[in-house]
Amino acid sequence: MIAAAGGRLAPARPRRRLRRLLPIYGLLLPGLVLYGAWAAWPLLNSFILSFTDWSLTKPLTPVGLANYLRALGDPLFWRALSATLGYTVVTVAGQLVLGLGAALLLNRRIPGRSVLRLVYYLPVITSWVIVSLVFTYLYNGQAGALNWLLVDVLHVLDRPVAWLAEPSTALWAIAVLGIWKGIGWTMVVFLAGLQAVSPELYDAAEVDGAGAWARFRHVTLPELRPTTTFLLVVLTIGGLNAFISIFVMSSAATGTVGGPLNSTDVVLTYLWKQSFAQLDLGYGAALSFLLAAVTGLVSLVELRVAREAAR
Amino acid sequence: MRSPGMRRILALAATAPLLVTACLGGGATPSPTAAPTQAPAGPTAAPPSGPTPTPEISGTVTFWNGYAADGDEIKTFTEVVLPAFNKLYPNIKVEHQEIPYDDLRQKLVTGLAGGTLPDVLRADIIWVPEFADQGALLALDTEMQDFQQLADATFPGPLSTNQWKGHYYGLPLDTNTRVMFYNDKVLADAGVTALPTTVEAFEALAAQVQARLGKKVYAYAEGGTGAWSVLPWIWSFGGGVTNADLTSADGVLNGPGTVAAVTKLKEWLDKGYLSPSILGGGVATSEQFGGGTTASILEGPWMPTIFEKQFPDLTFRYATVPAGPGGSASVVGGEDIVVFKSTPNKDAALAFTRFMLSEEAQRAMGKIGQMPVLKSLSGDSELPDYYPVFQKQLETARARTPSPAWPKIDEAISNAVLKALRGDTPVQDALDEATKIVDRLLAGG
C-alpha cells in the first residue's frame, strides 16, 4: 500500500516529495508502532519460537523443523484440523443461508421491520462467554431446555441426550451457537448489499416476465456476488479461528477442553492445550503457523473460485 | 549442527521470553525479579535458619493460595492466622493473593515464564512433582535444618506428595480425601437404614433405591471419569495406575482389578444406579445430591459448609468408600506449601512456611474444613465433628501417581474410562490403550 502510494508520487522533486510524504508517514506512524509492538514483533518471535523446544523454565533449544514434522505425524492435530474444517463449513454455510434469508425477509416493508432487525442483530453484540454458558445449560443432558422440548413436549426423542457430552453431537451443538450468533451480522451485510441493487433491474426482469424465484436467481444472487464473496472469506477466517465457544462449552460440560474424547478439539484449542497446559510452547507456536497457513490457503482458494465464478 | 544461521535464530530467540511474558502476562511489567528463576540456589546462598525462628527476620513474603472467597477460608487466614504470624514476626509482611483454583495454575505458568512467581505457594499436591521437575522449587530438606522435625510431625501420606527424585520440595499444608455422603431423605424414602460398608451392600442399596423411587433417582452420582473421580473405585476393586516403583502401568491399569472396577461402573450406569452425569454434560453432583435425585456422592471435607449455605434443609451422613476386593480406598487430595527458588527473601519465606505448619495455624484453618496435617491435632476437640470419618478414610487413601506427566496420565485414564462406560470400546481394550499411553509417559516420552 505504501509502496503503491510512493510510486504514484514518483515524478515530484525529492524535496517536495519528502514534504508531501512526511505527513502521510507521520500519520501512519502511531498505527505502525502499535502494530509493530503488538502484532508484528510477537508474530516474528513466535515464528522463531516454532523452531525451538521451550517449556518456560528449561533453556530454549533450537530444533529446526522438528515441531512442524511432529505436527504432520500427530493424529490429534489432523483430527483437530478436520474438526476445524467441518466446523467452518457448517457454520459458514449456516450463516450465509440463514443470514441471506433474514436479509431478504427484512428487506421488505413489513410491520415491525426495525424491531426484527434489532432482534436478529442482538446475538452479535452479546458476550461469547455468556452465550456459551447459556447454551451449555440449554444443552444439559439432565436439566436442559432443549431436552425438555424434544422429549417432554414434542416427543421427538424418547430419552434426553447430553448434547455436549456425546462425541457425535458436541461439535455440531457448538456450531449451532456459532450460526445463531453470526446470522445477525451476515444479515446486516447482505441488507447493505441488497439496498445497492438497482430497483430498475427488478422492474426490467418483471417486464420480461420473470417470477419471484427467477428474479432472485438471476438478479439478486448475481448482484450480491461481491457481498457473498466478502462474507465467505471473512466468515471462513472466523470459523477456522473459533475458540471461545468451544473452550467454554467443552470445559463446562465435560471438564476437559476439547472433550468429550477430543471430539471438539479444533486446532486452536489443541494448540492452547499444547502451549499452556503442557507447556510445550515451541510445538504450540508451530501449530499456530500451520493454522495460519491453512487459513491463508483456504481464503486464497475461495477468492480464486469466486473470481472464476464471476466470469 | 550449529550453523551461523542457527546462531542468529538463537540470538533472536533469546529475546523471546521477554516478549512472551508481555503477551502472557497482559499487564506484567518487567521487574528485577525476572532473572532469579535461573539463579542457582543452594544451601550456601544464605545461612540456613536454625530450628528456633529469629524474630529479627524482616521483609515481604508473597503468598499465593487458592483459599475460597465464598467460604470462611480467606476470612480465617487474614483475621486469625496472619495476625498470629505477625505477633511472632512483626517485621515480615505477608502479601497474600487468593487466586481461584482454576486460574492459579495458569497464573503460575505465566509466572514461571516471566519470573513473576510468588515466594510461597499453596500448591495442589499434584503440581509439586511438575514444578520440582522444572527446577522451580527450593528443596526444603536441604534448606531447612529442622526439616526432619517438621516432617515427622505430619502424616506420612500427605508428606509423600512433596517428594520428587530423592528430595522433599515442600511440606504438607492441608489434606483431604473423598468419602461417601448419603442423603438422609432419599435413604428414608427408599427404606434404607444401614449405610453399606461393602460393594455388595452398596449394590443392594442401589437396587432398593431404584425399586422404591424409580429411575429418576440414582444411587450414586459422579461428575466425570478423571482419576479423582474413578480412582476410589479402581483402588477399592484392587486395581490401580502403576506398579509400586512407578515405572510401568502394564498389568495394573489394565489388570483385573481396574477392569473389574470399570466393568462394575458400566453395569451400574447401564442399570440406572449411576447417574449419567459421569459421562459429562449433566447436572453438578452437589446439586443432584442437594436436590435429592441421588442417594450418594463422593465428596471432600470442604463440602459440608457449602451444603449448609446452598441447601439449608439438607441432612446427610458420611461413610467410608464401600470396600471391595482391594478394601476401602479413596484418593488423597490437599495442598502442600512450597517455596520458589526465585524468592529474594528466603529466610522470611521459610519462617512463614514453618508457621503455617504450627498447631496454631493448622487448628485455625482446620476449624473451617482445611484438614490439618499434624498428627498431634488428630482428634482435637476444636475441629469439626465430621473429621473422624475422613481421617479413617485417609488411613487407606492413596495418592495419585507423582509424575510431571500426571495431567496427561489423568487424561488417558479419563478417556479410557469414558470410552468404556459409553460402550464405545470394551473395558479391557480401552484400558490396554490407556496403559500404552501411560507407559510411554512414564518413560518420559
Side-chain angles (χ1 to χ4, degrees):
Chain A
M1 218 163 73
I2 297 162
R8 233 174 287 135
L9 294 164
R13 277 189 315 221
R15 251 191 94 106
R16 274 187 62 187
R17 192 184 134 151
L18 189 70
R19 208 180 300 154
R20 281 173 67 175
L21 282 179
L22 215 56
I24 297 176
Y25 284 121
L27 288 170
L28 284 174
L29 193 67
L32 281 175
V33 168
L34 286 178
Y35 176 79
W38 300 112
W41 180 241
L43 211 62
L44 176 72
N45 276 278
S46 83
F47 188 60
I48 294 162
L49 199 59
S50 74
F51 296 100
T52 67
D53 181 14
W54 189 41
S55 65
L56 297 181
T57 47
K58 287 173 190 159
L60 182 147
T61 41
V63 293
L65 286 170
N67 287 327
Y68 289 92
L69 295 175
R70 180 178 151 199
L72 298 182
D74 179 353
L76 284 177
F77 166 69
W78 288 108
R79 189 182 171 150
L81 185 61
S82 76
T84 308
L85 294 173
Y87 177 91
T88 304
V89 169
V90 169
T91 52
V92 170
Q95 289 175 87
L96 281 180
V97 171
L98 296 173
L100 178 59
L104 288 171
L105 292 174
L106 296 180
N107 198 31
R108 300 164 163 225
R109 292 183 192 289
I110 55 168
R113 185 169 73 161
S114 314
V115 175
L116 281 172
R117 282 182 183 176
L118 177 72
V119 167
Y120 273 85
Y121 197 72
L122 267 181
V124 181
I125 52 171
T126 53
S127 148
W128 268 109
V129 173
I130 291 169
V131 293
S132 295
L133 289 173
V134 169
F135 269 66
T136 306
Y137 288 122
L138 291 180
Y139 287 134
N140 189 295
Q142 292 179 290
L146 182 63
N147 278 313
W148 170 77
L149 186 72
L150 294 176
V151 179
D152 298 326
V153 179
L154 298 175
H155 305 291
V156 182
L157 297 175
D158 55 353
R159 57 198 186 93
V161 174
W163 299 98
L164 293 173
E166 282 291 327
S168 56
T169 58
L171 186 65
W172 312 118
I174 299 173
V176 168
L177 165 64
I179 294 170
W180 171 81
K181 200 167 182 319
I183 289 175
W185 185 76
T186 319
M187 174 195 78
V188 166
V189 179
F190 270 132
L191 272 175
L194 284 173
Q195 269 149 27
V197 181
S198 163
E200 287 157 22
L201 289 174
Y202 289 111
D203 294 343
E206 221 169 329
V207 169
D208 288 345
W213 171 249
R215 287 202 300 276
F216 172 72
R217 173 81 185 71
H218 297 289
V219 180
T220 311
L221 274 189
E223 288 292 309
L224 281 180
R225 189 164 285 144
T227 312
T228 314
T229 307
F230 165 76
L231 281 171
L232 181 69
V233 174
V234 173
L235 292 177
T236 301
I237 294 173
L240 292 174
N241 289 288
F243 178 74
I244 301 173
S245 56
I246 299 169
F247 183 88
V248 171
M249 293 171 86
S250 62
S251 48
T254 68
T256 326
V257 174
L261 300 173
N262 304 100
S263 63
T264 60
D265 249 337
V266 289
V267 177
L268 276 187
T269 54
Y270 186 58
L271 84 85
W272 180 88
K273 283 194 284 190
Q274 293 299 325
S275 301
F276 302 113
Q278 321 282 11
L279 300 187
D280 204 343
L281 285 130
Y283 188 48
L287 291 176
S288 74
F289 281 93
L290 285 174
L291 178 64
V294 169
T295 308
L297 198 73
V298 171
S299 305
L300 268 180
V301 169
E302 284 177 346
L303 284 173
R304 177 67 57 85
V305 168
R307 208 176 298 148
E308 291 293 317
R311 273 188 196 146
Chain B
M1 183 67 205
R2 286 217 164 170
S3 62
M6 191 54 86
R7 213 169 296 146
R8 200 155 55 224
I9 289 176
L10 261 176
L12 278 166
T15 62
L18 277 177
L19 179 92
V20 173
T21 313
C23 299
L24 293 175
T29 44
S31 73
T33 55
T37 12
Q38 279 93 30
T44 51
S49 40
T52 43
T54 27
E56 287 76 32
I57 304 173
S58 66
T60 304
V61 173
T62 51
F63 174 52
W64 288 3
N65 59 70
Y67 287 136
D70 51 349
D72 292 330
E73 290 169 12
I74 295 178
K75 197 170 162 243
T76 307
F77 177 70
T78 53
E79 291 175 12
V80 181
V81 177
L82 271 188
F85 173 71
N86 279 332
K87 248 184 218 166
L88 283 175
Y89 298 93
N91 296 320
I92 299 180
K93 187 174 183 298
V94 177
E95 280 180 359
H96 55 98
Q97 271 192 54
E98 286 71 34
I99 302 159
Y101 180 85
D102 291 335
D103 302 336
L104 183 53
R105 207 190 118 85
Q106 199 56 46
K107 208 165 147 85
L108 288 164
V109 168
T110 313
L112 269 176
T116 51
L117 288 165
D119 299 310
V120 182
L121 169 72
R122 174 178 174 263
D124 189 317
I125 54 173
I126 54 172
W127 297 344
V128 175
E130 190 182 357
F131 287 122
D133 193 53
Q134 300 253 3
L137 302 179
L138 276 185
L140 294 190
D141 52 359
T142 55
E143 295 290 339
M144 298 171 108
Q145 281 188 343
D146 54 341
F147 179 83
Q148 201 53 46
Q149 199 182 325
L150 290 165
D152 287 346
T154 64
F155 292 115
L159 177 67
S160 71
T161 62
N162 292 285
Q163 201 175 8
W164 179 245
K165 291 196 173 159
H167 280 286
Y168 285 91
Y169 288 90
L171 282 160
L173 182 61
D174 53 71
T175 186
N176 60 59
T177 187
R178 307 172 78 209
V179 302
M180 294 295 278
F181 286 42
Y182 288 95
N183 183 315
D184 281 335
K185 187 174 181 305
V186 175
L187 290 194
D189 290 350
V192 177
T193 46
L195 299 184
T197 53
T198 64
V199 168
E200 290 74 28
F202 180 75
E203 216 165 5
L205 175 147
Q208 194 171 333
V209 166
Q210 190 170 74
R212 296 279 186 90
L213 305 176
K215 286 220 159 194
K216 293 261 174 189
V217 179
Y218 301 98
Y220 170 60
E222 192 54 72
T225 54
W228 175 256
S229 299
V230 298
L231 277 179
W233 297 105
I234 290 177
W235 282 324
S236 295
F237 272 83
V241 181
T242 67
N243 56 6
D245 53 2
L246 313 177
T247 49
S248 168
D250 196 29
V252 184
L253 184 56
N254 58 352
T258 312
V259 171
V262 177
T263 307
K264 187 54 90 179
L265 286 175
K266 175 160 170 48
E267 187 193 320
W268 289 347
L269 178 68
D270 293 344
K271 279 188 178 165
Y273 295 173
L274 168 59
S275 163
S277 64
I278 192 171
L279 303 177
V283 176
T285 54
S286 59
E287 280 169 42
Q288 296 183 60
F289 187 72
T293 57
T294 180
S296 71
I297 50 172
L298 277 171
E299 264 302 349
W302 57 84
M303 217 50 207
T305 48
I306 296 176
F307 278 138
E308 220 167 85
K309 284 177 188 159
Q310 275 186 351
F311 300 98
D313 300 331
L314 177 71
T315 61
F316 49 90
R317 277 174 284 170
Y318 311 89
T320 47
V321 176
S328 162
S330 190
V331 56
V332 175
E335 274 81 19
D336 292 328
I337 188 161
V338 297
V339 180
F340 282 99
K341 269 187 189 170
S342 54
T343 177
N345 202 347
K346 195 163 39 166
D347 287 346
L350 293 178
F352 176 67
T353 302
R354 201 173 274 119
F355 180 77
M356 290 302 284
L357 272 114
S358 67
E359 279 196 5
E360 189 176 12
Q362 289 276 311
R363 186 184 287 115
M365 295 309 290
K367 283 183 195 169
I368 47 142
Q370 297 281 303
M371 283 183 72
V373 293
L374 296 179
K375 292 174 189 163
S376 58
L377 286 181
S378 175
D380 191 278
S381 60
E382 287 184 58
L383 296 176
D385 55 6
Y386 58 80
Y387 273 2
V389 65
F390 287 94
Q391 265 146 4
K392 181 158 190 292
Q393 188 74 72
L394 274 171
E395 285 168 15
T396 53
R398 301 195 215 167
R400 288 154 283 176
T401 314
S403 161
W406 173 254
K408 286 185 180 181
I409 296 175
D410 192 4
E411 192 186 356
I413 296 171
S414 174
N415 283 351
V417 177
L418 182 56
K419 277 184 210 169
L421 291 187
R422 289 179 48 80
D424 295 346
T425 315
V427 176
Q428 184 72 57
D429 295 2
L431 292 171
D432 282 342
E433 194 188 333
T435 301
K436 266 184 224 152
I437 299 171
V438 173
D439 274 347
R440 208 177 58 230
L441 291 168
L442 290 173

